[in-house]
Amino acid sequence: MTTDDDADFLPDDGPTSGISVTLTAGTLRAIRERSGKRGVSAYLERAAQRQIERDDLDELIADFDQVHGPATLEAVATEHARLTGGSSKPVATA
């Protein structure tokens, strides 16, 4: 018999499942201020989906860097200019 945990669901797909999550009081307060008490699960679902997307992007970038080497600021600026029709001046990073 296959359980939901064994199935291949993509993020934001499949049935819902309850779990216990431990958060600091300040984090939970901030979430509740943004989502209301009844919106905490939906808020955490969206946050988890965004984190999965970021993790996937980090893996994609790491794979690209392994094959092609890390991008230089000049190469990024040149490609940005090509795509947007703007200046190829290097972009400052934070």
Coordinates of all heavy atoms in Angstrom, one line a residue:
M1 N 0.8 -1.2 0.0 CA 0.0 0.0 0.0 C 0.9 1.2 0.0 O 1.9 1.3 0.7 CB -0.9 0.0 1.2 CG -1.8 1.2 1.3 SD -2.9 1.0 2.7 CE -4.2 2.1 2.2
T2 N 0.6 2.2 -0.8 CA 1.3 3.5 -0.9 C 0.7 4.5 0.0 O -0.5 4.8 -0.1 CB 1.3 4.0 -2.4 OG1 1.9 3.0 -3.2 CG2 2.1 5.2 -2.5
T3 N 1.5 5.2 0.8 CA 1.0 6.3 1.6 C 1.3 7.6 0.9 O 2.1 7.6 -0.1 CB 1.7 6.3 3.0 OG1 3.1 6.5 2.8 CG2 1.5 5.0 3.7
D4 N 0.7 8.7 1.4 CA 1.0 10.0 0.8 C 2.5 10.4 0.9 O 3.0 11.0 0.0 CB 0.1 11.1 1.5 CG -1.3 11.0 1.2 OD1 -1.7 10.3 0.2 OD2 -2.1 11.5 1.9
D5 N 3.1 9.9 1.9 CA 4.6 10.2 2.1 C 5.4 9.5 1.0 O 6.5 9.9 0.7 CB 5.1 9.8 3.4 CG 4.5 10.7 4.5 OD1 4.1 11.8 4.2 OD2 4.5 10.2 5.7
D6 N 4.9 8.4 0.4 CA 5.6 7.6 -0.6 C 5.3 8.1 -2.0 O 6.1 7.8 -2.9 CB 5.2 6.1 -0.5 CG 5.6 5.5 0.8 OD1 6.6 5.9 1.4 OD2 4.9 4.5 1.2
A7 N 4.3 8.9 -2.2 CA 3.9 9.4 -3.5 C 4.8 10.5 -4.0 O 5.4 11.2 -3.2 CB 2.4 9.8 -3.5
D8 N 4.9 10.7 -5.3 CA 5.7 11.7 -5.8 C 4.9 12.9 -6.1 O 4.4 13.2 -7.3 CB 6.4 11.2 -7.2 CG 7.6 10.3 -6.9 OD1 8.2 10.4 -5.8 OD2 7.9 9.5 -7.8
F9 N 4.6 13.8 -5.1 CA 3.9 15.0 -5.3 C 4.9 16.1 -5.5 O 5.9 16.2 -4.8 CB 3.0 15.3 -4.1 CG 1.9 14.3 -3.9 CD1 1.9 13.5 -2.8 CD2 0.9 14.2 -4.8 CE1 0.9 12.6 -2.6 CE2 -0.2 13.3 -4.6 CZ -0.2 12.5 -3.5
L10 N 4.6 17.1 -6.3 CA 5.4 18.3 -6.5 C 4.9 19.3 -5.4 O 3.8 19.2 -4.8 CB 5.2 18.9 -7.9 CG 5.6 18.0 -9.0 CD1 5.2 18.6 -10.3 CD2 7.1 17.8 -9.0
P11 N 5.8 20.3 -5.1 CA 5.3 21.3 -4.2 C 4.0 21.9 -4.6 O 3.8 22.1 -5.8 CB 6.5 22.4 -4.2 CG 7.7 21.6 -4.6 CD 7.1 20.5 -5.6
D12 N 3.1 22.2 -3.7 CA 1.8 22.7 -3.9 C 0.9 21.7 -4.6 O -0.1 22.1 -5.3 CB 1.9 24.0 -4.7 CG 0.6 24.8 -4.6 OD1 -0.1 24.7 -3.6 OD2 0.2 25.5 -5.6
D13 N 1.2 20.4 -4.4 CA 0.4 19.4 -5.0 C 0.1 18.3 -4.0 O 0.9 18.1 -3.0 CB 1.1 18.8 -6.2 CG 0.3 17.8 -7.0 OD1 -1.0 17.9 -7.0 OD2 0.8 16.9 -7.7
G14 N -1.0 17.6 -4.1 CA -1.3 16.5 -3.2 C -2.2 16.9 -2.1 O -2.5 18.1 -1.9
P15 N -2.6 15.9 -1.3 CA -3.5 16.2 -0.1 C -2.7 17.0 1.0 O -1.4 16.9 1.0 CB -3.9 14.9 0.4 CG -2.8 13.9 -0.1 CD -2.3 14.5 -1.4
T16 N -3.4 17.6 1.8 CA -2.7 18.3 3.0 C -2.5 17.3 4.1 O -3.1 16.2 4.1 CB -3.6 19.5 3.5 OG1 -4.8 18.9 4.0 CG2 -3.8 20.5 2.5
S17 N -1.5 17.6 4.9 CA -1.1 16.7 6.0 C -0.7 17.6 7.2 O 0.0 18.6 7.0 CB 0.1 15.8 5.5 OG 0.4 14.9 6.6
G18 N -1.1 17.2 8.3 CA -0.8 18.0 9.5 C 0.5 17.5 10.1 O 0.8 16.4 10.1
I19 N 1.3 18.5 10.6 CA 2.6 18.2 11.2 C 2.7 19.2 12.4 O 1.9 20.2 12.5 CB 3.8 18.4 10.3 CG1 3.9 19.9 9.8 CG2 3.8 17.4 9.2 CD1 5.2 20.2 9.1
S20 N 3.6 18.9 13.3 CA 3.9 19.8 14.4 C 5.2 20.6 14.0 O 6.2 20.0 13.5 CB 4.2 19.0 15.6 OG 4.6 19.9 16.7
V21 N 5.1 21.9 14.1 CA 6.3 22.8 13.8 C 6.6 23.7 15.0 O 5.7 24.2 15.7 CB 5.9 23.7 12.6 CG1 7.1 24.7 12.3 CG2 5.6 22.9 11.4
T22 N 7.9 23.8 15.3 CA 8.3 24.6 16.5 C 8.9 25.8 15.9 O 9.9 25.8 15.1 CB 9.3 23.8 17.3 OG1 8.7 22.6 17.8 CG2 9.8 24.6 18.5
L23 N 8.4 27.0 16.3 CA 8.9 28.3 15.9 C 9.2 29.1 17.2 O 8.6 28.9 18.2 CB 7.9 29.0 15.1 CG 7.4 28.3 13.8 CD1 6.2 29.1 13.2 CD2 8.5 28.3 12.8
T24 N 10.1 30.1 17.0 CA 10.3 31.0 18.1 C 9.0 31.9 18.3 O 8.3 32.1 17.3 CB 11.5 31.9 17.9 OG1 11.3 32.7 16.7 CG2 12.8 31.1 17.8
A25 N 8.8 32.4 19.5 CA 7.7 33.2 19.7 C 7.6 34.4 18.8 O 6.6 34.8 18.3 CB 7.6 33.6 21.2
G26 N 8.8 35.1 18.6 CA 8.8 36.3 17.8 C 8.5 36.0 16.3 O 7.8 36.7 15.7
T27 N 8.9 34.8 15.8 CA 8.6 34.4 14.4 C 7.1 34.2 14.3 O 6.5 34.6 13.4 CB 9.4 33.2 14.0 OG1 10.8 33.5 14.1 CG2 9.1 32.8 12.6
L28 N 6.6 33.4 15.2 CA 5.1 33.1 15.2 C 4.3 34.4 15.3 O 3.3 34.5 14.6 CB 4.8 32.1 16.3 CG 3.3 31.6 16.3 CD1 2.9 31.0 15.0 CD2 3.1 30.7 17.5
R29 N 4.7 35.3 16.1 CA 4.0 36.6 16.3 C 4.0 37.3 14.9 O 3.0 37.8 14.5 CB 4.6 37.4 17.4 CG 3.9 38.8 17.5 CD 4.6 39.8 18.4 NE 6.0 39.9 18.2 CZ 6.6 40.5 17.2 NH1 5.8 41.1 16.3 NH2 7.9 40.6 17.0
A30 N 5.1 37.4 14.3 CA 5.3 38.1 13.0 C 4.4 37.4 12.0 O 3.8 38.1 11.2 CB 6.7 38.1 12.6
I31 N 4.4 36.1 11.9 CA 3.5 35.4 11.0 C 2.1 35.7 11.2 O 1.3 36.0 10.3 CB 3.8 33.9 11.0 CG1 5.2 33.6 10.5 CG2 2.8 33.1 10.2 CD1 5.7 32.1 10.7
R32 N 1.7 35.6 12.5 CA 0.3 35.9 12.8 C -0.1 37.3 12.5 O -1.3 37.6 12.1 CB 0.0 35.6 14.3 CG -0.1 34.1 14.5 CD -0.4 33.8 15.9 NE -0.7 32.3 16.1 CZ -0.5 31.7 17.2 NH1 0.0 32.3 18.3 NH2 -0.7 30.4 17.3
E33 N 0.8 38.3 12.7 CA 0.5 39.7 12.3 C 0.2 39.8 10.8 O -0.6 40.6 10.4 CB 1.6 40.6 12.8 CG 1.7 40.8 14.3 CD 2.9 41.6 14.7 OE1 3.8 41.9 13.8 OE2 3.0 41.9 15.9
R34 N 0.9 39.0 10.0 CA 0.8 39.1 8.6 C -0.3 38.3 8.0 O -0.9 38.6 7.0 CB 2.1 38.7 7.9 CG 3.2 39.7 8.1 CD 4.6 39.1 7.7 NE 5.6 40.1 7.8 CZ 6.2 40.5 8.9 NH1 5.8 40.1 10.1 NH2 7.2 41.4 8.8
S35 N -0.6 37.2 8.7 CA -1.6 36.2 8.1 C -2.9 36.1 8.9 O -3.8 35.5 8.4 CB -0.9 34.8 8.0 OG -0.7 34.3 9.3
G36 N -2.9 36.5 10.1 CA -4.0 36.2 11.0 C -3.9 34.8 11.6 O -3.2 34.0 11.0
K37 N -4.5 34.6 12.7 CA -4.4 33.3 13.4 C -4.8 32.1 12.4 O -4.2 31.0 12.5 CB -5.2 33.2 14.6 CG -4.6 33.8 15.8 CD -5.4 33.5 17.0 CE -4.7 33.9 18.3 NZ -5.4 33.5 19.5
R38 N -5.8 32.3 11.6 CA -6.3 31.2 10.8 C -5.5 31.0 9.5 O -5.7 30.1 8.7 CB -7.8 31.4 10.5 CG -8.6 31.8 11.6 CD -9.5 30.7 12.3 NE -10.1 29.7 11.4 CZ -10.1 28.5 11.8 NH1 -9.7 28.1 13.0 NH2 -10.7 27.6 11.1
G39 N -4.6 32.0 9.2 CA -3.8 31.9 8.0 C -2.4 31.4 8.1 O -1.6 31.4 7.2
V40 N -2.0 30.9 9.3 CA -0.6 30.5 9.6 C -0.2 29.4 8.7 O 0.9 29.4 8.1 CB -0.4 30.1 11.1 CG1 0.9 29.5 11.3 CG2 -0.6 31.4 12.0
S41 N -1.1 28.3 8.5 CA -0.7 27.2 7.7 C -0.5 27.6 6.3 O 0.5 27.2 5.6 CB -1.8 26.1 7.8 OG -1.8 25.5 9.0
A42 N -1.3 28.4 5.7 CA -1.2 28.9 4.3 C 0.1 29.7 4.2 O 0.8 29.6 3.2 CB -2.4 29.7 3.9
Y43 N 0.4 30.6 5.2 CA 1.6 31.4 5.1 C 2.8 30.5 5.1 O 3.7 30.7 4.3 CB 1.6 32.3 6.4 CG 2.7 33.3 6.4 CD1 2.5 34.6 5.9 CD2 4.0 33.0 6.9 CE1 3.5 35.5 5.9 CE2 5.0 33.9 6.9 CZ 4.8 35.2 6.4 OH 5.8 36.1 6.4
L44 N 2.8 29.5 6.0 CA 4.0 28.6 6.1 C 4.1 27.8 4.8 O 5.2 27.5 4.4 CB 3.9 27.7 7.3 CG 4.1 28.4 8.6 CD1 3.8 27.5 9.8 CD2 5.4 29.1 8.7
E45 N 3.0 27.4 4.2 CA 3.0 26.6 2.9 C 3.7 27.5 1.9 O 4.6 27.0 1.1 CB 1.6 26.2 2.5 CG 1.5 25.6 1.2 CD 2.0 24.2 1.0 OE1 2.2 23.5 2.0 OE2 2.2 23.8 -0.1
R46 N 3.3 28.7 1.7 CA 3.8 29.6 0.7 C 5.3 29.9 1.0 O 6.1 29.9 0.1 CB 3.1 30.9 0.6 CG 1.7 30.8 0.0 CD 1.0 32.1 -0.2 NE 1.0 33.0 0.9 CZ 0.1 33.0 1.9 NH1 -1.0 32.2 1.8 NH2 0.1 33.9 2.9
A47 N 5.7 30.0 2.3 CA 7.1 30.3 2.6 C 7.9 29.0 2.3 O 9.0 29.2 1.7 CB 7.2 30.6 4.1
A48 N 7.4 27.9 2.6 CA 8.1 26.6 2.2 C 8.3 26.5 0.7 O 9.4 26.1 0.3 CB 7.4 25.4 2.8
Q49 N 7.3 26.8 0.0 CA 7.4 26.7 -1.5 C 8.4 27.7 -2.0 O 9.2 27.3 -2.9 CB 6.0 27.0 -2.1 CG 5.0 25.9 -1.9 CD 3.6 26.3 -2.4 OE1 3.5 27.3 -3.2 NE2 2.6 25.6 -2.0
R50 N 8.5 28.9 -1.5 CA 9.5 29.9 -1.9 C 10.9 29.4 -1.6 O 11.8 29.5 -2.4 CB 9.2 31.2 -1.3 CG 8.1 32.0 -2.0 CD 8.1 33.5 -1.5 NE 8.0 33.6 -0.1 CZ 6.9 33.6 0.6 NH1 5.7 33.5 0.0 NH2 6.9 33.8 1.9
Q51 N 11.0 28.8 -0.4 CA 12.4 28.2 0.0 C 12.8 27.1 -0.9 O 13.9 27.0 -1.3 CB 12.4 27.8 1.4 CG 13.7 27.4 1.9 CD 14.7 28.5 1.9 OE1 14.5 29.6 2.3 NE2 15.9 28.3 1.3
I52 N 11.8 26.2 -1.3 CA 12.1 25.1 -2.2 C 12.6 25.7 -3.6 O 13.6 25.2 -4.1 CB 10.9 24.2 -2.4 CG1 10.7 23.4 -1.1 CG2 11.1 23.2 -3.5 CD1 9.4 22.7 -1.0
E53 N 11.9 26.7 -4.0 CA 12.3 27.4 -5.3 C 13.7 27.9 -5.2 O 14.5 27.8 -6.1 CB 11.3 28.5 -5.7 CG 10.0 28.0 -6.1 CD 8.9 29.1 -6.2 OE1 9.2 30.2 -5.9 OE2 7.8 28.8 -6.6
R54 N 14.0 28.6 -4.1 CA 15.4 29.1 -3.9 C 16.4 28.0 -3.8 O 17.5 28.2 -4.4 CB 15.4 30.0 -2.6 CG 14.7 31.3 -2.7 CD 14.8 32.1 -1.5 NE 14.0 33.3 -1.7 CZ 13.1 33.8 -0.8 NH1 12.8 33.2 0.3 NH2 12.5 34.9 -1.1
D55 N 16.1 27.0 -3.1 CA 17.0 25.8 -3.0 C 17.3 25.3 -4.4 O 18.4 24.9 -4.8 CB 16.5 24.7 -2.1 CG 16.4 25.2 -0.6 OD1 17.1 26.2 -0.3 OD2 15.8 24.5 0.1
D56 N 16.2 25.1 -5.2 CA 16.4 24.6 -6.5 C 17.2 25.5 -7.4 O 18.1 25.0 -8.2 CB 15.0 24.4 -7.2 CG 14.2 23.2 -6.7 OD1 14.8 22.4 -5.9 OD2 13.0 23.1 -6.9
L57 N 17.0 26.8 -7.3 CA 17.8 27.8 -8.0 C 19.3 27.7 -7.6 O 20.2 27.8 -8.4 CB 17.2 29.2 -7.8 CG 17.9 30.3 -8.6 CD1 18.0 30.0 -10.1 CD2 17.2 31.6 -8.4
D58 N 19.5 27.6 -6.3 CA 20.9 27.5 -5.8 C 21.6 26.3 -6.3 O 22.8 26.3 -6.7 CB 20.9 27.4 -4.2 CG 20.6 28.8 -3.6 OD1 20.7 29.8 -4.2 OD2 20.3 28.8 -2.3
E59 N 20.9 25.2 -6.4 CA 21.4 23.9 -7.0 C 21.7 24.1 -8.5 O 22.8 23.7 -9.0 CB 20.5 22.8 -6.8 CG 20.4 22.3 -5.4 CD 19.3 21.3 -5.1 OE1 18.7 20.8 -6.1 OE2 19.0 21.0 -3.9
L60 N 20.8 24.8 -9.2 CA 21.0 25.1 -10.6 C 22.3 25.9 -10.9 O 23.1 25.7 -11.7 CB 19.8 25.7 -11.2 CG 19.8 26.0 -12.7 CD1 19.9 24.7 -13.5 CD2 18.5 26.8 -13.1
I61 N 22.4 27.0 -10.0 CA 23.6 27.9 -10.1 C 24.8 27.1 -9.8 O 25.9 27.3 -10.5 CB 23.4 29.1 -9.2 CG1 22.2 30.0 -9.8 CG2 24.7 29.9 -9.1 CD1 21.8 31.1 -8.8
A62 N 24.8 26.3 -8.8 CA 26.0 25.5 -8.4 C 26.4 24.6 -9.6 O 27.6 24.4 -9.9 CB 25.8 24.7 -7.1
D63 N 25.4 23.9 -10.2 CA 25.7 23.0 -11.3 C 26.3 23.8 -12.5 O 27.3 23.4 -13.1 CB 24.4 22.3 -11.8 CG 23.9 21.3 -10.8 OD1 24.7 20.9 -9.9 OD2 22.8 20.8 -11.0
F64 N 25.7 25.0 -12.8 CA 26.2 25.9 -13.8 C 27.7 26.3 -13.5 O 28.6 26.2 -14.4 CB 25.4 27.1 -14.0 CG 25.8 28.0 -15.1 CD1 25.4 27.8 -16.4 CD2 26.8 29.0 -14.9 CE1 25.8 28.6 -17.4 CE2 27.2 29.8 -15.9 CZ 26.7 29.7 -17.2
D65 N 27.9 26.7 -12.3 CA 29.3 27.1 -11.9 C 30.3 26.0 -12.0 O 31.4 26.2 -12.4 CB 29.3 27.7 -10.5 CG 28.6 29.1 -10.4 OD1 28.4 29.7 -11.4 OD2 28.4 29.5 -9.2
Q66 N 29.8 24.8 -11.7 CA 30.7 23.6 -11.8 C 31.1 23.4 -13.2 O 32.3 23.0 -13.5 CB 30.1 22.4 -11.2 CG 31.0 21.2 -11.0 CD 30.4 20.1 -10.3 OE1 29.2 20.0 -10.1 NE2 31.2 19.1 -9.9
V67 N 30.2 23.5 -14.1 CA 30.5 23.3 -15.6 C 31.2 24.4 -16.2 O 32.2 24.3 -16.9 CB 29.2 23.0 -16.3 CG1 29.4 22.9 -17.8 CG2 28.6 21.7 -15.8
H68 N 30.8 25.7 -15.9 CA 31.3 26.9 -16.6 C 32.2 27.8 -15.8 O 32.7 28.7 -16.3 CB 30.1 27.7 -17.2 CG 29.2 26.9 -18.1 ND1 29.5 26.6 -19.4 CD2 28.0 26.3 -17.9 CE1 28.6 25.9 -19.9 NE2 27.6 25.7 -19.0
G69 N 32.3 27.5 -14.5 CA 33.0 28.4 -13.6 C 32.0 29.5 -13.2 O 31.0 29.8 -13.8
P70 N 32.4 30.2 -12.1 CA 31.5 31.2 -11.6 C 31.4 32.4 -12.5 O 32.4 32.8 -13.2 CB 32.1 31.6 -10.2 CG 33.5 31.0 -10.2 CD 33.5 29.9 -11.2
A71 N 30.3 33.1 -12.6 CA 30.1 34.3 -13.4 C 30.9 35.5 -12.8 O 30.9 35.6 -11.6 CB 28.7 34.6 -13.6
T72 N 31.5 36.3 -13.6 CA 32.1 37.5 -13.2 C 31.1 38.6 -13.2 O 30.0 38.5 -13.9 CB 33.3 37.9 -14.1 OG1 32.8 38.2 -15.4 CG2 34.3 36.8 -14.1
L73 N 31.3 39.7 -12.4 CA 30.4 40.8 -12.4 C 30.3 41.4 -13.8 O 29.2 41.8 -14.2 CB 30.9 41.9 -11.4 CG 30.7 41.6 -10.0 CD1 31.3 42.7 -9.1 CD2 29.2 41.4 -9.6
E74 N 31.4 41.4 -14.5 CA 31.4 42.0 -15.9 C 30.5 41.2 -16.8 O 29.8 41.7 -17.6 CB 32.8 42.1 -16.4 CG 33.7 43.1 -15.7 CD 34.3 42.6 -14.4 OE1 34.3 41.4 -14.1 OE2 34.7 43.4 -13.6
A75 N 30.6 39.8 -16.7 CA 29.8 39.0 -17.6 C 28.3 39.1 -17.3 O 27.5 39.2 -18.2 CB 30.3 37.5 -17.4
V76 N 28.0 39.2 -16.0 CA 26.6 39.4 -15.6 C 26.1 40.8 -16.1 O 25.0 40.9 -16.7 CB 26.5 39.4 -14.0 CG1 25.1 39.8 -13.6 CG2 26.8 37.9 -13.5
A77 N 26.9 41.8 -16.0 CA 26.5 43.1 -16.5 C 26.3 43.2 -18.0 O 25.4 43.7 -18.5 CB 27.6 44.2 -16.0
T78 N 27.2 42.5 -18.7 CA 27.1 42.4 -20.1 C 25.9 41.7 -20.6 O 25.1 42.2 -21.4 CB 28.4 41.8 -20.7 OG1 29.5 42.5 -20.4 CG2 28.3 41.6 -22.2
E79 N 25.6 40.6 -19.9 CA 24.4 39.8 -20.3 C 23.1 40.6 -19.9 O 22.1 40.6 -20.6 CB 24.4 38.4 -19.6 CG 23.4 37.5 -20.1 CD 23.5 37.1 -21.5 OE1 24.6 37.3 -22.1 OE2 22.5 36.6 -22.1
H80 N 23.2 41.3 -18.7 CA 22.0 42.1 -18.3 C 21.7 43.2 -19.4 O 20.6 43.4 -19.8 CB 22.3 42.7 -16.9 CG 21.2 43.5 -16.4 ND1 21.1 44.9 -16.7 CD2 20.1 43.2 -15.7 CE1 20.0 45.4 -16.1 NE2 19.4 44.3 -15.5
A81 N 22.8 43.8 -19.8 CA 22.7 44.8 -20.8 C 22.1 44.3 -22.1 O 21.2 44.9 -22.8 CB 24.0 45.5 -21.1
R82 N 22.6 43.1 -22.5 CA 22.1 42.5 -23.7 C 20.6 42.1 -23.6 O 19.8 42.4 -24.6 CB 22.9 41.2 -24.0 CG 22.5 40.5 -25.3 CD 23.2 39.2 -25.5 NE 22.7 38.1 -24.6 CZ 21.6 37.4 -24.9 NH1 20.8 37.7 -25.9 NH2 21.2 36.5 -24.0
L83 N 20.2 41.7 -22.5 CA 18.8 41.3 -22.3 C 17.8 42.5 -22.1 O 16.7 42.4 -22.5 CB 18.6 40.4 -21.1 CG 19.3 39.0 -21.2 CD1 19.3 38.2 -19.9 CD2 18.6 38.2 -22.3
T84 N 18.4 43.6 -21.6 CA 17.5 44.7 -21.3 C 17.7 45.9 -22.2 O 17.0 46.9 -22.1 CB 17.7 45.2 -19.8 OG1 19.1 45.6 -19.6 CG2 17.4 44.1 -18.8
G85 N 18.8 45.8 -23.0 CA 19.1 47.0 -23.9 C 19.8 48.1 -23.1 O 19.8 49.2 -23.7
G86 N 20.2 47.9 -21.9 CA 20.8 48.9 -21.1 C 22.3 48.9 -21.2 O 23.0 48.3 -22.1
S87 N 22.9 49.6 -20.2 CA 24.4 49.7 -20.2 C 25.0 48.4 -19.6 O 24.4 47.7 -18.9 CB 24.7 50.9 -19.2 OG 26.1 50.8 -18.9
S88 N 26.2 48.2 -20.1 CA 26.9 47.0 -19.6 C 27.8 47.3 -18.4 O 28.7 46.5 -18.1 CB 27.7 46.3 -20.7 OG 28.7 47.2 -21.2
K89 N 27.6 48.4 -17.8 CA 28.4 48.8 -16.6 C 28.2 47.8 -15.5 O 27.1 47.4 -15.2 CB 28.0 50.2 -16.2 CG 28.9 50.8 -15.1 CD 28.5 52.3 -14.9 CE 28.2 52.6 -13.5 NZ 27.8 53.9 -13.3
P90 N 29.3 47.3 -14.8 CA 29.1 46.3 -13.8 C 28.2 46.8 -12.7 O 28.1 48.0 -12.3 CB 30.5 46.2 -13.2 CG 31.4 46.6 -14.3 CD 30.7 47.6 -15.1
V91 N 27.4 45.9 -12.2 CA 26.4 46.2 -11.2 C 27.0 45.9 -9.8 O 27.7 44.9 -9.6 CB 25.1 45.3 -11.3 CG1 24.1 45.6 -10.3 CG2 24.6 45.3 -12.8
A92 N 26.8 46.9 -8.9 CA 27.3 46.7 -7.5 C 26.5 45.6 -6.8 O 25.3 45.5 -7.0 CB 27.2 48.0 -6.7
T93 N 27.2 44.9 -5.9 CA 26.5 43.8 -5.2 C 26.4 44.3 -3.7 O 27.2 45.1 -3.2 CB 27.2 42.5 -5.2 OG1 28.5 42.7 -4.7 CG2 27.3 42.0 -6.6
A94 N 25.4 43.8 -3.0 CA 25.2 44.1 -1.6 C 26.0 43.3 -0.7 O 26.4 42.2 -1.0 CB 23.7 44.0 -1.3

